[in-house]
Amino acid sequence: MPLMQATFVAAALVVATPTANPQSGPVAATETDPAMAMIPIDVANEGGIRDRWALDGDLALPVYPDGYAQAKRDVCLALGYTINPDGTTSNFRVLQQWNSETGGLEPVDGFWSAFAGAGVDAVRQWKFTPRAEAGEPKPVFTVATVTWKTRADTWPNELRDRCTIDNLAAFLQRYQQRYDLNDHLFERAQRRNEDLHQFLAGTPH
């Protein structure tokens, strides 16, 4: 599948995303490479990088965050990330999220931060090797659907489908049309959506 050239720049794809801190619990951390701030970046659907990148080693899998396993919630995240020219991953951000108890709403404080941190910890370990036939390696923004299955009656594919983004470029374009992506991109947009969900659910925070 060919890559699609995005009109965004790498800096527009970076916001604070939660990562786990074993000493103080989940904290917000922004992983930004200033050198890539104005490099036009391609966008590839999940699995759409195979013609340019090969996985180097095994895929690290996310662990279930401490303190949440007993509730037996199935969880999925669509985790966006950049593959850098050296094959490392960075610029992580949660694009979609769902759990089997409350859908897209946060069931308890800190829940989404914990799972985002676990997802980032796994994807951060992924390493890719550029394919020689693809030419000079360039950064690409793509997405991984990360899942945590705890219930015996859950079909894995159905859980993935809750968060899978079939057309990443179109997904980003919808947000670009609705919000100014150069103004903190999803950070403000996601907060507005979260506030709306909470209002409709009658659970102000």
Side-chain angles (χ1 to χ4, degrees):
M1 179 181 297
L3 300 181
M4 290 162 282
Q5 183 68 43
T7 57
F8 324 123
V9 293
L13 292 169
V14 181
V15 297
T17 51
T19 58
N21 183 326
Q23 300 300 322
S24 59
V27 295
T30 303
E31 303 196 18
T32 309
D33 182 353
M36 293 179 59
M38 296 305 296
I39 299 176
I41 191 167
D42 288 326
V43 171
N45 288 336
E46 187 168 16
I49 60 169
R50 295 189 183 97
D51 59 339
R52 295 195 180 190
W53 296 93
L55 183 65
D56 185 0
D58 297 327
L59 284 179
L61 299 178
V63 299
Y64 210 95
D66 291 340
Y68 296 98
Q70 289 184 341
K72 297 294 183 182
R73 299 181 185 98
D74 291 334
V75 180
C76 66
L77 301 177
L79 185 63
Y81 65 99
T82 296
I83 301 178
N84 303 305
D86 64 357
T88 60
T89 60
S90 64
N91 299 343
F92 309 101
R93 60 171 317 98
V94 175
L95 305 179
Q96 294 193 138
Q97 55 199 15
W98 180 89
N99 74 89
S100 56
E101 180 179 348
T102 57
L105 301 179
E106 185 167 56
V108 293
D109 288 344
F111 183 87
W112 290 130
S113 285
F115 280 90
V120 168
D121 286 345
V123 178
R124 192 200 315 275
Q125 300 177 57
W126 297 1
K127 176 73 174 178
F128 297 87
T129 300
R131 296 188 185 277
E133 62 271 22
E136 182 181 356
K138 298 179 181 179
V140 56
F141 186 75
T142 187
V143 61
T145 305
V146 185
T147 63
W148 292 262
K149 178 182 175 299
T150 62
R151 298 167 55 173
D153 60 345
T154 299
W155 289 92
N157 287 344
E158 290 182 357
L159 178 56
R160 283 183 53 84
D161 287 346
R162 297 283 187 176
C163 290
T164 297
I165 298 175
D166 293 324
N167 189 327
L168 181 58
F171 178 93
L172 297 174
Q173 186 65 33
R174 286 195 298 272
Y175 270 85
Q176 184 180 41
Q177 291 171 352
R178 188 172 181 184
Y179 303 102
D180 178 5
L181 293 192
N182 291 318
D183 185 10
H184 305 299
L185 188 67
F186 291 96
E187 184 174 23
R188 185 173 61 181
Q190 287 183 324
R191 182 60 181 172
R192 288 178 180 174
N193 286 341
E194 179 183 338
D195 289 344
L196 176 61
H197 287 317
Q198 297 289 353
F199 174 78
L200 294 174
T203 55
H205 56 291

